[in-house]
């Protein structure tokens, strides 16, 4: 597979090949920046959930219902984002969604009840969901242009943002109010969008050729639909796990094991750190072992890590479980989305992402209600079960095949 610095040799035309390689480099950099910002903003919100829970006085089940807003808003926008990307291109959707997400993150700390919190989280989840679909659609096309499984690297950038955002939140949790903290994050998001957005808007992201569109239709039919649904089921299971770690990990450490707010916030930071390591090495793993073995091993590792974190007797063991779970979950969702995008383009990405968000949609209320009925460790055990199901689906579907877009360089031109 050609490296980025050798891409021009695959594109005829001498200086034109240099132009294409340079454009792809700038696009990859800008796209990576947006993945980082996406993770940074989301993690900044996540680590302030305990403080906002106390501010609103919500019970675990009420908080779980309020947190539905993020996933519900995301699902609504995901259902149309694939069509918007096909009509207007990925870049305008990315820039618009990033700006709206940055603005909406300032709203949750202004609320004082679970009901109003849930309503504003709808507004936050909408652009977050649209940004996810648009970023992944662009990443699939760029990976095809460079002939490498780059999706884990882009999701690794998201995890880098999450790690930095969570780590910063851990440092600021005791010194800044959620309102001031999230307002500062909004300014960072808007500034970064203003700087990186023009790069995406000036250059067309790689798009499939006519032949590739034929093999990756916008409408899901027959065997293609079945394969995309399998990818979506895997995404659902793992997104359920990621959402649970984001929404309930800090509460498990703080309320269940007596950790301080700073240490509780550090839990998600550690989870994000190991996920980052796993994703940044994901391309090499996929090239060495292939997607199915990577998927099965990752799901199994995540299940074991979640069991350890759920039933750990001390904070140290729980943090170890978080680290193992992050390493296991690292490449499952990227592999599922990349496969769906290769099969059906933006429609496949949108369908798989929507099912993934359904997992996040189910996660908060399921965890909340099971916590009320039994305990938080029992609720987190359902996450381990979901990770095991993802590995099982990957194993049973290992012989499934379907059309995939051919990965060849695609010319990039200025708008």
């Amino acid at each position: 597979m050609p490296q980025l610095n050798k891409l021009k040799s695959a594109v005829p035309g001498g200086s034109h090949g240099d132009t294409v390689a340079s454009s792809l480099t700038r696009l990859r950099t800008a796209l990576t920046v947006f993945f980082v910002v996406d993770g940074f903003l989301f993690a900044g919100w996540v680590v302030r959930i305990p403080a906002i829970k106390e501010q609103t006085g919500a019970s675990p089940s009420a908080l779980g219902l309020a947190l539905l807003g993020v996933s519900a808003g995301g699902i609504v926008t995901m259902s149309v984002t694939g069509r918007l990307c096909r009509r207007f291109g990925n870049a305008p959707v990315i820039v618009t969604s990033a700006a709206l997400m940055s603005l909406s993150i300032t709203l949750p700390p202004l609320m004082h009840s679970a009901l109003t919190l849930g309503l504003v989280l709808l507004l936050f989840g909408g652009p977050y969901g649209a940004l996810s679909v648009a970023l992944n659609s662009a990443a699939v096309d760029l990976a095809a242009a460079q002939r490498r499984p780059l999706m884990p690297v882009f999701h690794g950038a998201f995890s880098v943002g999450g790690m930095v955002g969570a780590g910063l939140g851990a440092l600021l949790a005791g010194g800044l109010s959620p309102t001031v903290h999230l307002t500062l994050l909004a300014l960072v998001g808007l500034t970064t969008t203003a700087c990186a957005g023009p790069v995406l808007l000036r250059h067309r992201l790689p798009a499939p050729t006519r032949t590739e569109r034929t093999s990756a239709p916008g409408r899901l039919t027959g065997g293609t639909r079945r394969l995309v649904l399998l990818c979506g089921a895997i995404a659902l299971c793992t997104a359920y796990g990621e959402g649970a770690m984001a929404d309930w990990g800090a509460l498990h450490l703080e309320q269940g094991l007596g950790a301080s707010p700073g240490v509780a916030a550090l839990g998600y930071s550690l989870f994000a750190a190991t996920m980052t390591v796993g994703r940044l090495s994901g391309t090499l793993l996929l090239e060495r072992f292939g997607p199915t073995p990577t998927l099965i091993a990752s799901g199994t590792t995540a299940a074991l890590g979640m069991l350890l974190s759920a039933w750990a007797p001390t904070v140290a063991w729980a943090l170890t479980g978080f680290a193992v779970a992050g390493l296991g979950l690292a490449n499952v969702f990227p592999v599922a989305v990349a496969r769906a995008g290769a099969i059906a383009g933006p429609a496949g990405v949108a369908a798989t992402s929507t099912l993934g968000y359904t997992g996040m949609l189910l996660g908060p209320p399921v965890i909340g209600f099971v916590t009320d009925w039994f305990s938080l460790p029992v609720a987190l055990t359902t996450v381990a079960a979901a990770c095991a199901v993802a590995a099982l689906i990957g194993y049973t579907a290992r012989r499934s095949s379907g059309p995939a877009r051919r990965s060849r360089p695609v010319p990039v031109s200025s708008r």
Side-chain angles (χ1 to χ4, degrees):
M1 294 186 180
Q3 304 294 327
L4 180 60
N5 61 358
K6 297 180 181 179
L7 181 61
K8 62 183 180 180
S9 64
V11 182
S15 62
H16 176 66
D18 293 334
T19 302
V20 171
S22 177
S23 296
L24 289 177
T25 300
R26 291 194 296 270
L27 286 170
R28 180 172 174 177
T29 301
L31 198 58
T32 300
V33 168
F34 275 106
F35 269 102
V36 171
V37 170
D38 190 18
F40 179 77
L41 294 178
F42 185 73
W45 143 249
V46 162
V47 298
R48 300 318 297 252
I49 288 177
I52 294 175
K53 175 182 181 294
E54 181 178 353
Q55 176 179 300
T56 59
S59 66
S61 57
L63 178 64
L65 290 173
L67 293 174
L68 280 173
V70 178
S71 297
I75 286 176
V76 170
T77 56
M78 282 179 174
S79 63
V80 299
T81 302
R83 292 193 293 272
L84 291 176
C85 289
R86 290 194 301 273
R87 180 173 180 180
F88 300 107
N90 296 317
V93 179
I94 290 172
V95 173
T96 302
S97 300
L100 292 176
M101 181 181 172
S102 299
L103 292 172
S104 62
I105 201 174
T106 63
L107 298 177
L110 303 179
M111 301 301 109
H112 296 279
S113 71
L115 175 61
T116 55
L117 177 62
L119 293 176
V120 300
L121 288 179
L122 282 170
L123 300 179
F124 174 68
Y128 178 64
L131 182 60
S132 177
V133 171
L135 282 175
N136 281 294
S137 295
V140 167
D141 290 334
L142 190 55
Q146 296 189 358
R147 297 182 180 176
R148 296 197 70 194
L150 296 175
M151 190 65 77
V153 176
F154 286 120
H155 282 250
F158 175 90
S159 296
V160 168
M163 180 176 61
V164 174
L168 183 63
L171 293 175
L172 300 179
L176 288 181
S177 68
T179 301
V180 174
H181 178 199
L182 296 184
T183 298
L184 292 175
L185 296 189
L187 293 176
V188 172
L190 291 172
T191 301
T192 307
T193 300
C195 294
V199 177
L200 296 184
L201 295 173
R202 274 199 307 267
H203 305 281
R204 292 187 182 276
L205 289 166
T209 63
R210 182 176 302 176
T211 301
E212 290 159 345
R213 288 191 186 98
T214 300
S215 63
R219 182 174 297 178
L220 303 179
T221 58
T224 297
R225 180 186 298 275
R226 176 179 176 274
L227 290 173
V228 170
L229 287 177
L230 287 175
C231 294
I234 293 172
L236 185 152
C237 292
T238 55
Y240 176 83
E242 290 187 46
M245 292 297 292
D247 293 341
W248 297 97
L251 288 173
H252 175 54
L253 290 169
E254 186 173 343
Q255 297 183 3
L257 296 173
S260 66
V263 173
L266 183 63
Y268 184 76
S269 180
L270 183 61
F271 172 79
T274 56
M275 181 172 281
T276 301
V277 172
R279 286 177 170 173
L280 293 179
S281 60
T283 295
L284 295 177
L285 289 175
L286 290 170
E287 290 177 336
R288 175 66 178 85
F289 300 106
T292 298
T294 301
L295 177 61
I296 295 171
S298 297
T300 303
T301 301
L304 295 175
M306 284 307 305
L307 281 176
L308 176 59
S309 61
W311 297 101
T314 65
V315 172
W317 278 109
L319 291 175
T320 301
F322 284 1
V324 175
L327 196 62
L329 285 173
N331 293 306
V332 181
F333 191 89
V335 169
V337 172
R339 180 57 179 158
I343 293 169
V349 172
T352 301
S353 299
T354 300
L355 286 171
Y357 262 67
T358 301
M360 288 190 177
L361 184 67
L362 293 173
V366 168
I367 298 293
F369 284 121
V370 173
T371 298
D372 279 347
W373 295 335
F374 300 101
S375 66
L376 188 50
V378 172
L380 293 177
T381 301
T382 65
V383 177
C387 294
V389 169
L392 181 62
I393 293 173
Y395 176 78
T396 57
R398 64 193 183 281
R399 291 196 173 98
S400 297
S401 61
R405 287 187 289 181
R406 297 172 60 188
S407 300
R408 60 173 182 167
V410 180
V412 180
S413 59
S414 299
R415 284 191 181 277

